[in-house]
């Protein structure tokens, strides 16, 4: 058993939704510490687009 598993697109969107909601709680702490680093905010914005129906995570991965 390798531990690998597959998710449907709906399951993946649910996981990404949970992660973005969790990260949103700590994002202000990061932004206060490193205000010039926009990468976490950009990644969350891209992840939300995916959750809202964007067809892929491409710009999330590159954010």
């Amino acid at each position: 058993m390798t531990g690998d598993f597959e998710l449907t697109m709906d399951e993946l969107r649910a996981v990404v939704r949970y992660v973005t909601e969790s990260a949103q709680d700590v994002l202000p702490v990061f932004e206060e510490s490193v205000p010039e680093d926009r990468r976490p905010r950009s990644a969350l914005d891209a992840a939300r687009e995916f959750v809202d129906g964007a067809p892929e995570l491409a710009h999330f991965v590159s954010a």
Side-chain angles (χ1 to χ4, degrees):
M1 188 159 121
T2 64
D4 292 343
F5 57 92
E6 292 186 25
L7 297 175
T8 66
M9 192 61 74
D10 287 340
E11 291 169 332
L12 181 57
R13 289 182 200 283
V15 170
V16 173
R17 178 180 293 114
Y18 174 79
V19 170
T20 58
E21 289 173 357
S22 298
Q24 186 63 40
D25 293 339
V26 298
L27 184 62
V29 175
F30 179 86
E31 290 180 328
E32 186 175 314
S33 297
V34 191
E36 67 280 357
D37 190 350
R38 301 287 300 154
R39 291 175 299 168
R41 169 80 55 191
S42 295
L44 283 175
D45 291 344
R48 283 190 201 99
E49 287 179 30
F50 174 72
V51 167
D52 291 341
E56 57 187 36
L57 286 170
H59 56 278
F60 171 68
V61 173
S62 66

